[in-house]
Amino acid sequence: LTNQYAEGGGDKLWVRMTTNYDGKRAWGFDIDQLQYYDCLWSNWMAWANAISSWDLTSPSYGGTPTDGVKTVYIQVKDGSNNLGLAKDSIILDTGATTPTITSATHPDQNLWYANNNPVISLSANDVSGTVGYYYVLDQSPSTVPTTSSTYTTSSVLNFWSLADGTWYIHAISKDSLGHISAPSHYRMKIDVNGPATTLTNPVNAWATTSRRPTFTWSATDACSGFTGSSHVQIATTATFTSPVIDVDTATATYTIASDLVDNLYYWRVKTRDAIGNWGTYTTARQFYIDNVPPSSSVTALPTTVDTVSFTVAWAGTDDLCGISRYDIAYKEDANGTWTNWLQATSTSATFTGRD
């Protein structure tokens, strides 16, 4: 027995002893009894002169079927029946301890964290000592590292700038006897970017007479998810330096609460995910509130013409929305009934009448 020697090759204890024979006493010595951990003797075997072996893990001898420090007490008797006591220990280590993986930055494997620089801690309380770890970082839940994987003697791993998503660290430990453990797996859920937002209604350059229009949008977030939290801005300039509306909403819709005056407006939205990350603002859209009708005129016609067909011209102005089309009607005399003639965006057309 060599005190505190780490043994990984088996679980049998071999005891070999010698005596200093001085020629004055009867030759030989005998092994009396052995016991683990204390000096309460049990009848492991009778006196014997031969080398024998015992199973250190057998409960029959008071052993335990686990790795650890095994202490053996031996009582010996010489040829004159003098008794002596010896003890020694051996560290039984038949396999490496599966590592424990924790994270101070991502302590709960079921929660999302707005931190893409995780710190991982590895530990393995092996009886013969842990000398290092093999590990893999990926996005698969069941990868098993091998001795060809990245190796480290450090118990702390640092990773930087990981992309949003679910990541896994997989690790196996190596003990001082060269044993390799079973794998451990740890999940990290990373979300540092806000949702992607899409404006729905109204469409760009929409015009309305309503002074309290409603706006809607949608958002997607593949990680912690979109819960409806949003921020809306409405301004009279595309730079949004002094927005007339600058509010948070709990849903993906907003109706203006107080009347807006006639004007050209711009609107944009950003949204927030479930753990508080704000996305970027959408590209702005325009809309008009316009309650003033356009003005229009017809170019004066001659009193008489000498052809049945002649050109009619007209024009129109609008300070906000502009002219989208002209509706042209005619009647044959001052007291006649108006008849619809054209719906056009042009400002002239040939009219064919009758003599």
Side-chain angles (χ1 to χ4, degrees):
L1 287 172
T2 302
N3 193 39
Q4 297 297 307
Y5 172 73
E7 172 59 52
D11 53 16
K12 297 291 186 180
L13 167 68
W14 291 85
V15 179
R16 293 178 173 84
M17 293 179 289
T18 61
T19 182
N20 294 322
Y21 176 58
D22 59 9
K24 298 179 180 179
R25 290 173 291 182
W27 183 90
F29 60 90
D30 298 304
I31 300 174
D32 183 4
Q33 296 171 337
L34 292 88
Q35 174 67 33
Y36 295 131
Y37 307 115
D38 54 40
C39 293
L40 298 176
W41 301 105
S42 60
N43 292 321
W44 282 18
M45 64 173 293
W47 294 101
N49 288 64
I51 295 175
S52 300
S53 64
W54 296 269
D55 186 346
L56 289 173
T57 62
S58 173
S60 300
Y61 305 138
T64 55
T66 57
D67 289 356
V69 177
K70 308 296 183 180
T71 302
V72 179
Y73 297 85
I74 304 172
Q75 185 170 274
V76 296
K77 180 173 64 175
D78 64 16
S80 300
N81 291 322
N82 296 309
L83 297 178
L85 177 65
K87 72 172 183 177
D88 215 333
S89 301
I90 190 171
I91 300 173
L92 180 62
D93 187 0
T94 59
T97 302
T98 302
T100 298
I101 306 175
T102 58
S103 174
T105 56
H106 298 70
D108 192 325
Q109 297 184 65
N110 295 314
L111 297 181
W112 291 95
Y113 292 92
N115 182 341
N116 61 350
N117 302 317
V119 178
I120 297 296
S121 296
L122 305 173
S123 63
N125 186 21
D126 194 88
V127 291
S128 67
T130 298
V131 296
Y133 305 90
Y134 296 93
Y135 69 90
V136 174
L137 174 71
D138 62 17
Q139 293 187 283
S140 174
S142 57
T143 300
V144 177
T146 69
T147 54
S148 297
S149 303
T150 304
Y151 180 72
T152 181
T153 58
S154 174
S155 62
V156 177
L157 305 177
N158 291 276
F159 301 98
W160 309 99
S161 302
L162 297 186
D164 281 7
T166 301
W167 291 85
Y168 297 87
I169 184 73
H170 317 275
I172 55 178
S173 67
K174 178 181 179 181
D175 67 15
S176 63
L177 299 177
H179 297 127
I180 301 300
S181 75
S184 289
H185 311 278
Y186 193 87
R187 180 174 60 191
M188 300 170 291
K189 303 174 75 173
I190 294 174
D191 184 5
V192 298
N193 295 294
T197 309
T198 302
L199 301 181
T200 306
N201 285 305
V203 297
N204 192 41
W206 176 67
T208 181
T209 58
S210 172
R211 299 191 183 278
R212 300 186 183 187
T214 295
F215 304 86
T216 61
W217 56 92
S218 63
T220 57
D221 188 277
C223 296
S224 61
F226 171 59
T227 61
S229 180
S230 308
H231 190 84
V232 181
Q233 285 188 329
I234 299 175
T236 56
T237 63
T239 58
F240 291 87
T241 51
S242 298
V244 294
I245 302 291
D246 195 12
V247 296
D248 289 328
T249 70
T251 60
T253 183
Y254 175 70
T255 300
I256 295 175
S258 300
D259 288 354
L260 294 180
V261 299
D262 284 7
N263 211 335
L264 165 63
Y265 293 95
Y266 300 84
W267 70 290
R268 65 181 184 179
V269 178
K270 65 178 180 180
T271 54
R272 183 168 54 185
D273 64 21
I275 63 171
N277 296 311
W278 283 102
T280 58
Y281 277 111
T282 61
T283 300
R285 286 183 179 178
Q286 299 178 2
F287 71 96
Y288 299 89
I289 295 179
D290 187 0
N291 287 275
V292 178
S295 60
S296 58
S297 61
V298 176
T299 302
L301 297 171
T303 303
T304 59
V305 294
D306 57 4
T307 61
V308 176
S309 297
F310 54 90
T311 298
V312 179
W314 54 86
T317 59
D318 188 271
D319 292 336
L320 281 177
C321 299
I323 303 299
S324 63
R325 76 176 189 194
Y326 295 93
D327 292 342
I328 315 299
Y330 70 90
K331 59 183 179 180
E332 292 192 8
D333 55 54
N335 297 319
T337 301
W338 287 104
T339 300
N340 291 330
W341 175 36
L342 291 175
Q343 287 186 340
T345 57
S346 61
T347 56
S348 66
T350 299
F351 179 78
T352 301
R354 62 178 180 173
D355 288 338

